[in-house]
Amino acid sequence: MEACGAVGSANNPYKGGAPAINDLLGGQIPMSFNNGPESVGQLQAGTVRALAVTTGSRAPFLPDVPSMSETVPGYDTEVWWGLIGPGGMPADLVAKISHDFVAAVNTEAVKERLGKLGAIPIGSTPETFVAKIRADYDKWGPIIKAAGMKAE
């Protein structure tokens, strides 16, 4: 339940997980791909059932749910969130914000809360995060271009 998207009409794509979950609960669609934090409440309530996670391995908050990669080797469409600022920020400011953000993400309270929501806190360096963004761009960029997708 990590990739955001849903089974629906090509003429009426979903603009986020909440509308997809609403239609799933209402029976308008038979299944949906949603990320953990927006699905965990429904999973805990038993109103939806996780069939698989789309990360490369099982999710800690759903240990009994298989990963798609267990059936389709190499399948991994993890979702991540990060803190991004405007280009040209002074290096000392980037370092300070990064340090404070990593410190906050690594507190037990934040790790516990994010874990309950199905998110796995990392708290990497700005350089590691840039490398992740570039790797995802290299992975998904050709697919996005071939499909003619545009940001809205």
Side-chain angles (χ1 to χ4, degrees):
M1 302 269 305
E2 291 296 322
C4 185
V7 175
S9 165
N11 296 328
N12 189 17
Y14 288 94
K15 295 185 182 205
I21 289 176
N22 285 339
D23 279 359
L24 180 65
L25 293 171
Q28 285 82 23
I29 58 174
M31 65 174 281
S32 177
F33 287 79
N34 292 86
N35 64 55
E38 67 190 18
S39 306
V40 72
Q42 298 298 332
L43 290 166
Q44 290 171 343
T47 54
V48 298
R49 181 173 63 127
L51 302 176
V53 295
T54 62
T55 48
S57 59
R58 291 184 182 215
F61 80 109
L62 294 171
D64 297 329
V65 176
S67 168
M68 289 282 288
S69 65
E70 293 175 34
T71 302
V72 182
Y75 192 102
D76 186 356
T77 60
E78 70 177 352
V79 172
W80 51 262
W81 294 270
L83 187 60
I84 299 174
M89 286 178 65
D92 61 333
L93 180 58
V94 171
K96 171 75 171 131
I97 292 171
S98 176
H99 175 270
D100 292 350
F101 182 74
V102 169
V105 164
N106 283 310
T107 64
E108 287 306 313
V110 171
K111 288 195 289 189
E112 182 181 336
R113 178 69 177 137
L114 290 175
K116 286 180 180 176
L117 293 173
I120 302 168
I122 296 172
S124 65
T125 66
E127 297 78 17
T128 301
F129 189 37
V130 167
K132 172 65 178 158
I133 292 169
R134 287 193 174 127
D136 277 2
Y137 179 82
D138 291 344
K139 178 180 181 178
W140 297 108
I143 296 166
I144 291 167
K145 287 178 187 168
M149 294 179 189
K150 304 277 185 223
E152 292 182 13

